[in-house]
mmCIF file of all heavy atoms in Angstrom:
data_model
loop_
_atom_site.group_PDB
_atom_site.id
_atom_site.type_symbol
_atom_site.label_atom_id
_atom_site.label_comp_id
_atom_site.label_asym_id
_atom_site.label_seq_id
_atom_site.Cartn_x
_atom_site.Cartn_y
_atom_site.Cartn_z
ATOM 1 N N LYS B 216 -5.748 -19.907 -65.908
ATOM 2 C CA LYS B 216 -4.602 -20.041 -66.809
ATOM 3 C C LYS B 216 -3.916 -21.394 -66.644
ATOM 4 O O LYS B 216 -3.293 -21.904 -67.580
ATOM 5 C CB LYS B 216 -3.578 -18.933 -66.530
ATOM 6 C CG LYS B 216 -4.006 -17.549 -66.972
ATOM 7 C CD LYS B 216 -3.336 -17.178 -68.282
ATOM 8 C CE LYS B 216 -3.628 -15.744 -68.655
ATOM 9 N NZ LYS B 216 -2.544 -14.834 -68.284
ATOM 10 N N LYS B 257 -14.704 2.709 -57.595
ATOM 11 C CA LYS B 257 -14.036 3.984 -57.274
ATOM 12 C C LYS B 257 -14.097 4.280 -55.780
ATOM 13 O O LYS B 257 -13.205 4.923 -55.234
ATOM 14 C CB LYS B 257 -14.608 5.136 -58.108
ATOM 15 C CG LYS B 257 -16.023 5.513 -57.758
ATOM 16 C CD LYS B 257 -16.507 6.672 -58.615
ATOM 17 C CE LYS B 257 -17.890 7.102 -58.174
ATOM 18 N NZ LYS B 257 -18.443 8.160 -59.026
ATOM 19 N N GLN B 260 -11.454 2.028 -54.194
ATOM 20 C CA GLN B 260 -10.114 2.581 -54.407
ATOM 21 C C GLN B 260 -9.880 3.799 -53.502
ATOM 22 O O GLN B 260 -8.791 3.975 -52.949
ATOM 23 C CB GLN B 260 -9.922 2.954 -55.886
ATOM 24 C CG GLN B 260 -8.457 3.151 -56.262
ATOM 25 C CD GLN B 260 -8.038 4.599 -56.207
ATOM 26 O OE1 GLN B 260 -8.749 5.471 -56.659
ATOM 27 N NE2 GLN B 260 -6.861 4.855 -55.664
ATOM 28 N N ARG B 264 -6.877 4.276 -50.786
ATOM 29 C CA ARG B 264 -6.040 5.480 -50.758
ATOM 30 C C ARG B 264 -6.040 6.110 -49.358
ATOM 31 O O ARG B 264 -4.987 6.457 -48.819
ATOM 32 C CB ARG B 264 -6.588 6.486 -51.777
ATOM 33 C CG ARG B 264 -5.845 7.807 -51.842
ATOM 34 C CD ARG B 264 -6.736 8.922 -52.397
ATOM 35 N NE ARG B 264 -7.391 8.519 -53.629
ATOM 36 C CZ ARG B 264 -8.596 8.937 -54.013
ATOM 37 N NH1 ARG B 264 -9.273 9.815 -53.287
ATOM 38 N NH2 ARG B 264 -9.132 8.496 -55.127
ATOM 39 N N PRO B 278 2.764 -2.906 -47.675
ATOM 40 C CA PRO B 278 3.092 -3.196 -49.086
ATOM 41 C C PRO B 278 1.988 -3.923 -49.850
ATOM 42 O O PRO B 278 1.850 -3.704 -51.054
ATOM 43 C CB PRO B 278 4.327 -4.098 -48.983
ATOM 44 C CG PRO B 278 4.825 -3.998 -47.579
ATOM 45 C CD PRO B 278 3.698 -3.540 -46.736
ATOM 46 N N GLU B 285 -2.786 -0.115 -56.459
ATOM 47 C CA GLU B 285 -2.374 0.183 -57.833
ATOM 48 C C GLU B 285 -3.217 -0.599 -58.847
ATOM 49 O O GLU B 285 -3.436 -0.137 -59.963
ATOM 50 C CB GLU B 285 -0.880 -0.100 -58.032
ATOM 51 C CG GLU B 285 0.041 0.795 -57.205
ATOM 52 C CD GLU B 285 -0.222 2.281 -57.392
ATOM 53 O OE1 GLU B 285 -0.323 2.735 -58.544
ATOM 54 O OE2 GLU B 285 -0.340 2.998 -56.371
ATOM 55 N N LYS B 289 -5.502 1.078 -61.697
ATOM 56 C CA LYS B 289 -5.464 0.645 -63.089
ATOM 57 C C LYS B 289 -6.880 0.338 -63.582
ATOM 58 O O LYS B 289 -7.257 0.704 -64.703
ATOM 59 C CB LYS B 289 -4.588 -0.608 -63.199
ATOM 60 C CG LYS B 289 -4.461 -1.134 -64.604
ATOM 61 C CD LYS B 289 -3.689 -2.439 -64.616
ATOM 62 C CE LYS B 289 -4.286 -3.385 -65.637
ATOM 63 N NZ LYS B 289 -3.816 -4.762 -65.465
ATOM 64 N N ARG B 291 -9.621 1.641 -62.533
ATOM 65 C CA ARG B 291 -10.273 2.940 -62.739
ATOM 66 C C ARG B 291 -9.871 3.530 -64.081
ATOM 67 O O ARG B 291 -10.710 4.037 -64.828
ATOM 68 C CB ARG B 291 -9.845 3.909 -61.630
ATOM 69 C CG ARG B 291 -10.956 4.403 -60.732
ATOM 70 C CD ARG B 291 -10.380 5.420 -59.758
ATOM 71 N NE ARG B 291 -9.797 6.548 -60.458
ATOM 72 C CZ ARG B 291 -8.812 7.326 -59.990
ATOM 73 N NH1 ARG B 291 -8.286 7.075 -58.795
ATOM 74 N NH2 ARG B 291 -8.367 8.328 -60.701
ATOM 75 N N SER B 292 -8.575 3.429 -64.409
ATOM 76 C CA SER B 292 -8.108 4.018 -65.665
ATOM 77 C C SER B 292 -8.635 3.238 -66.864
ATOM 78 O O SER B 292 -8.620 3.730 -67.994
ATOM 79 C CB SER B 292 -6.578 4.105 -65.696
ATOM 80 O OG SER B 292 -6.003 2.857 -66.000
ATOM 81 N N LEU B 293 -9.093 2.017 -66.631
ATOM 82 C CA LEU B 293 -9.724 1.232 -67.701
ATOM 83 C C LEU B 293 -11.218 1.524 -67.800
ATOM 84 O O LEU B 293 -11.930 0.875 -68.565
ATOM 85 C CB LEU B 293 -9.502 -0.264 -67.463
ATOM 86 C CG LEU B 293 -8.071 -0.761 -67.657
ATOM 87 C CD1 LEU B 293 -7.909 -2.176 -67.111
ATOM 88 C CD2 LEU B 293 -7.675 -0.719 -69.131
ATOM 89 N N GLY B 294 -11.709 2.459 -66.995
ATOM 90 C CA GLY B 294 -13.103 2.868 -67.091
ATOM 91 C C GLY B 294 -14.058 2.052 -66.231
ATOM 92 O O GLY B 294 -15.262 2.054 -66.446
ATOM 93 N N LEU B 295 -13.526 1.346 -65.220
ATOM 94 C CA LEU B 295 -14.354 0.464 -64.401
ATOM 95 C C LEU B 295 -14.791 1.099 -63.079
ATOM 96 O O LEU B 295 -15.332 0.414 -62.205
ATOM 97 C CB LEU B 295 -13.599 -0.839 -64.111
ATOM 98 C CG LEU B 295 -13.213 -1.668 -65.345
ATOM 99 C CD1 LEU B 295 -12.181 -2.745 -64.977
ATOM 100 C CD2 LEU B 295 -14.445 -2.325 -65.955
ATOM 101 N N GLY B 296 -14.548 2.391 -62.916
ATOM 102 C CA GLY B 296 -14.802 3.055 -61.631
ATOM 103 C C GLY B 296 -16.223 2.937 -61.115
ATOM 104 O O GLY B 296 -16.441 2.856 -59.910
ATOM 105 N N GLU B 297 -17.198 2.913 -62.012
ATOM 106 C CA GLU B 297 -18.597 2.854 -61.583
ATOM 107 C C GLU B 297 -19.091 1.414 -61.418
ATOM 108 O O GLU B 297 -20.195 1.182 -60.930
ATOM 109 C CB GLU B 297 -19.500 3.566 -62.601
ATOM 110 C CG GLU B 297 -19.135 5.010 -62.882
ATOM 111 C CD GLU B 297 -19.409 5.923 -61.688
ATOM 112 O OE1 GLU B 297 -20.216 5.521 -60.820
ATOM 113 O OE2 GLU B 297 -18.820 7.012 -61.627
ATOM 114 N N GLN B 309 -7.636 -8.952 -68.031
ATOM 115 C CA GLN B 309 -7.550 -8.291 -69.329
ATOM 116 C C GLN B 309 -6.147 -8.405 -69.880
ATOM 117 O O GLN B 309 -5.925 -8.526 -71.072
ATOM 118 C CB GLN B 309 -7.970 -6.825 -69.148
ATOM 119 C CG GLN B 309 -7.563 -5.881 -70.257
ATOM 120 C CD GLN B 309 -6.291 -5.102 -69.875
ATOM 121 O OE1 GLN B 309 -5.633 -5.378 -68.875
ATOM 122 N NE2 GLN B 309 -5.930 -4.157 -70.705
ATOM 123 N N GLU B 310 -5.173 -8.407 -68.999
ATOM 124 C CA GLU B 310 -3.789 -8.401 -69.455
ATOM 125 C C GLU B 310 -3.393 -9.722 -70.094
ATOM 126 O O GLU B 310 -2.274 -9.877 -70.551
ATOM 127 C CB GLU B 310 -2.846 -8.077 -68.304
ATOM 128 C CG GLU B 310 -2.910 -9.056 -67.158
ATOM 129 C CD GLU B 310 -2.245 -8.505 -65.900
ATOM 130 O OE1 GLU B 310 -2.100 -7.282 -65.788
ATOM 131 O OE2 GLU B 310 -1.874 -9.295 -65.049
ATOM 132 N N ALA B 311 -4.313 -10.656 -70.130
ATOM 133 C CA ALA B 311 -3.977 -11.980 -70.625
ATOM 134 C C ALA B 311 -4.423 -12.195 -72.059
ATOM 135 O O ALA B 311 -4.437 -13.306 -72.555
ATOM 136 C CB ALA B 311 -4.633 -13.026 -69.739
ATOM 137 N N ALA B 312 -4.776 -11.106 -72.726
ATOM 138 C CA ALA B 312 -5.382 -11.195 -74.051
ATOM 139 C C ALA B 312 -4.704 -12.214 -74.965
ATOM 140 O O ALA B 312 -5.352 -13.042 -75.587
ATOM 141 C CB ALA B 312 -5.368 -9.826 -74.719
ATOM 142 N N ASN B 313 -3.385 -12.151 -74.989
ATOM 143 C CA ASN B 313 -2.667 -13.027 -75.913
ATOM 144 C C ASN B 313 -1.832 -14.065 -75.185
ATOM 145 O O ASN B 313 -0.675 -14.309 -75.501
ATOM 146 C CB ASN B 313 -1.754 -12.189 -76.813
ATOM 147 C CG ASN B 313 -2.552 -11.114 -77.509
ATOM 148 O OD1 ASN B 313 -3.600 -11.398 -78.063
ATOM 149 N ND2 ASN B 313 -2.071 -9.879 -77.449
ATOM 150 N N ALA B 314 -2.424 -14.640 -74.164
ATOM 151 C CA ALA B 314 -1.669 -15.529 -73.284
ATOM 152 C C ALA B 314 -0.996 -16.662 -74.043
ATOM 153 O O ALA B 314 0.144 -17.008 -73.765
ATOM 154 C CB ALA B 314 -2.580 -16.102 -72.216
ATOM 155 N N ASP B 316 0.054 -16.770 -77.115
ATOM 156 C CA ASP B 316 1.226 -16.237 -77.809
ATOM 157 C C ASP B 316 2.383 -16.069 -76.852
ATOM 158 O O ASP B 316 3.510 -16.470 -77.114
ATOM 159 C CB ASP B 316 0.951 -14.834 -78.387
ATOM 160 C CG ASP B 316 -0.101 -14.875 -79.480
ATOM 161 O OD1 ASP B 316 -0.577 -15.982 -79.775
ATOM 162 O OD2 ASP B 316 -0.436 -13.811 -80.006
ATOM 163 N N SER B 317 2.062 -15.448 -75.710
ATOM 164 C CA SER B 317 3.131 -15.088 -74.799
ATOM 165 C C SER B 317 3.727 -16.338 -74.169
ATOM 166 O O SER B 317 4.909 -16.387 -73.870
ATOM 167 C CB SER B 317 2.633 -14.158 -73.711
ATOM 168 O OG SER B 317 1.834 -14.874 -72.804
ATOM 169 N N ALA B 318 2.901 -17.361 -73.969
ATOM 170 C CA ALA B 318 3.438 -18.593 -73.403
ATOM 171 C C ALA B 318 4.468 -19.167 -74.370
ATOM 172 O O ALA B 318 5.558 -19.574 -73.982
ATOM 173 C CB ALA B 318 2.318 -19.597 -73.156
ATOM 174 N N LYS B 319 4.110 -19.115 -75.644
ATOM 175 C CA LYS B 319 5.075 -19.555 -76.653
ATOM 176 C C LYS B 319 6.338 -18.693 -76.606
ATOM 177 O O LYS B 319 7.455 -19.191 -76.599
ATOM 178 C CB LYS B 319 4.445 -19.456 -78.051
ATOM 179 C CG LYS B 319 3.766 -20.745 -78.526
ATOM 180 C CD LYS B 319 3.133 -20.536 -79.900
ATOM 181 C CE LYS B 319 1.614 -20.617 -79.816
ATOM 182 N NZ LYS B 319 0.943 -19.865 -80.860
ATOM 183 N N ALA B 320 6.102 -17.362 -76.557
ATOM 184 C CA ALA B 320 7.248 -16.440 -76.577
ATOM 185 C C ALA B 320 8.181 -16.709 -75.416
ATOM 186 O O ALA B 320 9.390 -16.564 -75.519
ATOM 187 C CB ALA B 320 6.750 -14.995 -76.537
ATOM 188 N N ALA B 321 7.599 -17.091 -74.278
ATOM 189 C CA ALA B 321 8.423 -17.274 -73.082
ATOM 190 C C ALA B 321 9.148 -18.605 -73.093
ATOM 191 O O ALA B 321 10.055 -18.836 -72.307
ATOM 192 C CB ALA B 321 7.544 -17.193 -71.837
ATOM 193 N N ALA B 322 8.714 -19.494 -73.971
ATOM 194 C CA ALA B 322 9.282 -20.855 -73.959
ATOM 195 C C ALA B 322 10.743 -20.833 -74.429
ATOM 196 O O ALA B 322 11.175 -19.918 -75.115
ATOM 197 C CB ALA B 322 8.464 -21.753 -74.852
ATOM 198 N N LYS C 204 0.241 12.072 -68.392
ATOM 199 C CA LYS C 204 -1.114 12.229 -67.852
ATOM 200 C C LYS C 204 -1.285 13.554 -67.111
ATOM 201 O O LYS C 204 -2.386 14.088 -67.016
ATOM 202 C CB LYS C 204 -1.420 11.076 -66.885
ATOM 203 C CG LYS C 204 -1.626 9.728 -67.543
ATOM 204 C CD LYS C 204 -3.103 9.384 -67.625
ATOM 205 C CE LYS C 204 -3.318 7.990 -68.133
ATOM 206 N NZ LYS C 204 -3.529 7.022 -67.046
ATOM 207 N N LYS C 245 11.395 -10.633 -72.943
ATOM 208 C CA LYS C 245 11.310 -11.939 -72.263
ATOM 209 C C LYS C 245 12.629 -12.301 -71.578
ATOM 210 O O LYS C 245 12.634 -12.995 -70.563
ATOM 211 C CB LYS C 245 10.860 -13.041 -73.227
ATOM 212 C CG LYS C 245 11.855 -13.381 -74.300
ATOM 213 C CD LYS C 245 11.336 -14.492 -75.195
ATOM 214 C CE LYS C 245 12.406 -14.907 -76.201
ATOM 215 N NZ LYS C 245 11.933 -15.938 -77.121
ATOM 216 N N ARG C 252 13.279 -12.718 -62.820
ATOM 217 C CA ARG C 252 12.847 -13.943 -62.148
ATOM 218 C C ARG C 252 14.034 -14.634 -61.468
ATOM 219 O O ARG C 252 13.964 -15.034 -60.297
ATOM 220 C CB ARG C 252 12.220 -14.879 -63.176
ATOM 221 C CG ARG C 252 11.739 -16.211 -62.635
ATOM 222 C CD ARG C 252 11.698 -17.292 -63.733
ATOM 223 N NE ARG C 252 10.976 -16.815 -64.904
ATOM 224 C CZ ARG C 252 11.233 -17.194 -66.153
ATOM 225 N NH1 ARG C 252 12.162 -18.109 -66.412
ATOM 226 N NH2 ARG C 252 10.563 -16.685 -67.159
ATOM 227 N N GLU C 273 6.411 -8.170 -61.970
ATOM 228 C CA GLU C 273 5.003 -8.419 -62.313
ATOM 229 C C GLU C 273 4.571 -7.569 -63.519
ATOM 230 O O GLU C 273 3.699 -7.982 -64.289
ATOM 231 C CB GLU C 273 4.089 -8.157 -61.107
ATOM 232 C CG GLU C 273 4.324 -9.122 -59.936
ATOM 233 C CD GLU C 273 4.250 -10.593 -60.329
ATOM 234 O OE1 GLU C 273 3.291 -10.992 -61.010
ATOM 235 O OE2 GLU C 273 5.168 -11.361 -59.956
ATOM 236 N N LYS C 277 3.208 -9.063 -67.004
ATOM 237 C CA LYS C 277 2.009 -8.555 -67.656
ATOM 238 C C LYS C 277 2.311 -8.195 -69.111
ATOM 239 O O LYS C 277 1.530 -8.509 -70.026
ATOM 240 C CB LYS C 277 1.499 -7.327 -66.903
ATOM 241 C CG LYS C 277 0.232 -6.743 -67.486
ATOM 242 C CD LYS C 277 -0.151 -5.473 -66.764
ATOM 243 C CE LYS C 277 -0.757 -4.487 -67.753
ATOM 244 N NZ LYS C 277 -0.788 -3.121 -67.211
ATOM 245 N N ALA C 278 3.444 -7.547 -69.337
ATOM 246 C CA ALA C 278 3.828 -7.169 -70.703
ATOM 247 C C ALA C 278 3.966 -8.428 -71.559
ATOM 248 O O ALA C 278 3.515 -8.466 -72.709
ATOM 249 C CB ALA C 278 5.132 -6.379 -70.688
ATOM 250 N N ARG C 279 4.565 -9.473 -70.997
ATOM 251 C CA ARG C 279 4.698 -10.738 -71.719
ATOM 252 C C ARG C 279 3.314 -11.279 -72.072
ATOM 253 O O ARG C 279 3.085 -11.737 -73.200
ATOM 254 C CB ARG C 279 5.415 -11.756 -70.831
ATOM 255 C CG ARG C 279 6.741 -12.253 -71.342
ATOM 256 C CD ARG C 279 7.281 -13.339 -70.425
ATOM 257 N NE ARG C 279 6.341 -14.451 -70.321
ATOM 258 C CZ ARG C 279 6.236 -15.272 -69.271
ATOM 259 N NH1 ARG C 279 7.018 -15.100 -68.211
ATOM 260 N NH2 ARG C 279 5.366 -16.238 -69.256
ATOM 261 N N SER C 280 2.382 -11.211 -71.110
ATOM 262 C CA SER C 280 1.042 -11.754 -71.376
ATOM 263 C C SER C 280 0.295 -10.895 -72.399
ATOM 264 O O SER C 280 -0.697 -11.337 -72.969
ATOM 265 C CB SER C 280 0.243 -11.885 -70.074
ATOM 266 O OG SER C 280 -0.293 -10.641 -69.673
ATOM 267 N N LEU C 281 0.769 -9.683 -72.619
ATOM 268 C CA LEU C 281 0.178 -8.833 -73.662
ATOM 269 C C LEU C 281 0.835 -9.072 -75.013
ATOM 270 O O LEU C 281 0.538 -8.382 -75.991
ATOM 271 C CB LEU C 281 0.307 -7.355 -73.280
ATOM 272 C CG LEU C 281 -0.568 -6.882 -72.118
ATOM 273 C CD1 LEU C 281 -0.140 -5.495 -71.647
ATOM 274 C CD2 LEU C 281 -2.047 -6.867 -72.520
ATOM 275 N N GLY C 282 1.771 -10.037 -75.068
ATOM 276 C CA GLY C 282 2.380 -10.393 -76.346
ATOM 277 C C GLY C 282 3.615 -9.577 -76.697
ATOM 278 O O GLY C 282 4.039 -9.552 -77.853
ATOM 279 N N LEU C 283 4.234 -8.936 -75.697
ATOM 280 C CA LEU C 283 5.389 -8.072 -75.965
ATOM 281 C C LEU C 283 6.730 -8.749 -75.699
ATOM 282 O O LEU C 283 7.775 -8.094 -75.704
ATOM 283 C CB LEU C 283 5.289 -6.797 -75.107
ATOM 284 C CG LEU C 283 4.054 -5.927 -75.349
ATOM 285 C CD1 LEU C 283 3.888 -4.889 -74.238
ATOM 286 C CD2 LEU C 283 4.151 -5.230 -76.701
ATOM 287 N N GLY C 284 6.716 -10.065 -75.477
ATOM 288 C CA GLY C 284 7.934 -10.780 -75.084
ATOM 289 C C GLY C 284 9.102 -10.641 -76.043
ATOM 290 O O GLY C 284 10.260 -10.622 -75.613
ATOM 291 N N GLU C 285 8.819 -10.559 -77.335
ATOM 292 C CA GLU C 285 9.899 -10.478 -78.323
ATOM 293 C C GLU C 285 10.341 -9.042 -78.589
ATOM 294 O O GLU C 285 11.324 -8.796 -79.286
ATOM 295 C CB GLU C 285 9.455 -11.116 -79.649
ATOM 296 C CG GLU C 285 9.011 -12.561 -79.546
ATOM 297 C CD GLU C 285 10.159 -13.498 -79.210
ATOM 298 O OE1 GLU C 285 11.330 -13.118 -79.409
ATOM 299 O OE2 GLU C 285 9.883 -14.618 -78.740
ATOM 300 N N GLN C 297 -0.919 1.310 -71.583
ATOM 301 C CA GLN C 297 -2.101 0.719 -72.194
ATOM 302 C C GLN C 297 -3.298 0.808 -71.271
ATOM 303 O O GLN C 297 -4.414 0.980 -71.688
ATOM 304 C CB GLN C 297 -1.777 -0.752 -72.536
ATOM 305 C CG GLN C 297 -2.949 -1.665 -72.758
ATOM 306 C CD GLN C 297 -3.283 -2.476 -71.505
ATOM 307 O OE1 GLN C 297 -2.727 -2.284 -70.431
ATOM 308 N NE2 GLN C 297 -4.222 -3.390 -71.642
ATOM 309 N N GLU C 298 -3.042 0.748 -69.986
ATOM 310 C CA GLU C 298 -4.139 0.749 -69.027
ATOM 311 C C GLU C 298 -4.841 2.090 -68.938
ATOM 312 O O GLU C 298 -5.796 2.249 -68.219
ATOM 313 C CB GLU C 298 -3.647 0.343 -67.643
ATOM 314 C CG GLU C 298 -2.556 1.235 -67.073
ATOM 315 C CD GLU C 298 -1.879 0.609 -65.863
ATOM 316 O OE1 GLU C 298 -1.932 -0.624 -65.721
ATOM 317 O OE2 GLU C 298 -1.292 1.321 -65.067
ATOM 318 N N ALA C 299 -4.361 3.048 -69.711
ATOM 319 C CA ALA C 299 -4.902 4.394 -69.594
ATOM 320 C C ALA C 299 -5.888 4.714 -70.700
ATOM 321 O O ALA C 299 -6.234 5.848 -70.926
ATOM 322 C CB ALA C 299 -3.771 5.395 -69.621
ATOM 323 N N ALA C 300 -6.344 3.666 -71.387
ATOM 324 C CA ALA C 300 -7.186 3.855 -72.561
ATOM 325 C C ALA C 300 -8.260 4.925 -72.379
ATOM 326 O O ALA C 300 -8.437 5.803 -73.213
ATOM 327 C CB ALA C 300 -7.820 2.533 -72.956
ATOM 328 N N ASN C 301 -8.960 4.848 -71.239
ATOM 329 C CA ASN C 301 -10.075 5.772 -71.039
ATOM 330 C C ASN C 301 -9.810 6.735 -69.899
ATOM 331 O O ASN C 301 -10.645 6.965 -69.039
ATOM 332 C CB ASN C 301 -11.350 4.983 -70.741
ATOM 333 C CG ASN C 301 -11.607 3.950 -71.823
ATOM 334 O OD1 ASN C 301 -11.577 4.280 -72.998
ATOM 335 N ND2 ASN C 301 -11.837 2.713 -71.425
ATOM 336 N N ALA C 302 -8.597 7.262 -69.895
ATOM 337 C CA ALA C 302 -8.185 8.076 -68.750
ATOM 338 C C ALA C 302 -9.138 9.217 -68.472
ATOM 339 O O ALA C 302 -9.459 9.510 -67.326
ATOM 340 C CB ALA C 302 -6.781 8.601 -68.964
ATOM 341 N N ASP C 304 -12.325 9.498 -69.091
ATOM 342 C CA ASP C 304 -13.542 8.975 -68.451
ATOM 343 C C ASP C 304 -13.295 8.724 -66.979
ATOM 344 O O ASP C 304 -14.074 9.100 -66.116
ATOM 345 C CB ASP C 304 -13.940 7.608 -69.053
ATOM 346 C CG ASP C 304 -14.357 7.747 -70.507
ATOM 347 O OD1 ASP C 304 -14.366 8.891 -70.997
ATOM 348 O OD2 ASP C 304 -14.675 6.721 -71.128
ATOM 349 N N SER C 305 -12.177 8.051 -66.730
ATOM 350 C CA SER C 305 -11.941 7.610 -65.361
ATOM 351 C C SER C 305 -11.672 8.794 -64.462
ATOM 352 O O SER C 305 -12.006 8.792 -63.292
ATOM 353 C CB SER C 305 -10.776 6.632 -65.303
ATOM 354 O OG SER C 305 -9.567 7.320 -65.494
ATOM 355 N N ALA C 306 -11.037 9.820 -65.025
ATOM 356 C CA ALA C 306 -10.788 11.008 -64.210
ATOM 357 C C ALA C 306 -12.123 11.595 -63.767
ATOM 358 O O ALA C 306 -12.314 11.953 -62.616
ATOM 359 C CB ALA C 306 -9.971 12.026 -65.000
ATOM 360 N N LYS C 307 -13.066 11.631 -64.722
ATOM 361 C CA LYS C 307 -14.403 12.103 -64.363
ATOM 362 C C LYS C 307 -15.034 11.205 -63.301
ATOM 363 O O LYS C 307 -15.564 11.658 -62.309
ATOM 364 C CB LYS C 307 -15.304 12.087 -65.616
ATOM 365 C CG LYS C 307 -15.311 13.420 -66.374
ATOM 366 C CD LYS C 307 -16.193 13.316 -67.622
ATOM 367 C CE LYS C 307 -15.383 13.476 -68.888
ATOM 368 N NZ LYS C 307 -15.967 12.803 -70.032
ATOM 369 N N ALA C 308 -14.904 9.892 -63.530
ATOM 370 C CA ALA C 308 -15.514 8.941 -62.611
ATOM 371 C C ALA C 308 -14.976 9.122 -61.202
ATOM 372 O O ALA C 308 -15.690 8.958 -60.219
ATOM 373 C CB ALA C 308 -15.262 7.517 -63.084
ATOM 374 N N ALA C 309 -13.692 9.468 -61.114
ATOM 375 C CA ALA C 309 -13.074 9.575 -59.800
ATOM 376 C C ALA C 309 -13.402 10.889 -59.118
ATOM 377 O O ALA C 309 -13.210 11.048 -57.923
ATOM 378 C CB ALA C 309 -11.570 9.441 -59.940
ATOM 379 N N ALA C 310 -13.908 11.837 -59.914
ATOM 380 C CA ALA C 310 -14.131 13.187 -59.365
ATOM 381 C C ALA C 310 -15.278 13.196 -58.364
ATOM 382 O O ALA C 310 -16.167 12.365 -58.417
ATOM 383 C CB ALA C 310 -14.416 14.153 -60.510
#
Side-chain angles (χ1 to χ4, degrees):
Chain B
K216 288 259 186 98
K257 69 179 184 184
Q260 197 264 316
R264 179 204 310 148
E285 295 307 312
K289 181 185 142 195
R291 243 184 60 207
S292 79
L293 290 168
L295 299 166
E297 304 291 340
Q309 162 261 9
E310 60 195 21
N313 305 312
D316 294 359
S317 73
K319 268 178 247 154
Chain C
K204 288 258 186 97
K245 68 179 185 182
R252 179 205 309 149
E273 295 307 312
K277 181 185 144 197
R279 243 185 58 207
S280 79
L281 290 168
L283 299 167
E285 303 292 341
Q297 161 262 7
E298 59 194 23
N301 306 310
D304 294 358
S305 73
K307 268 178 244 153

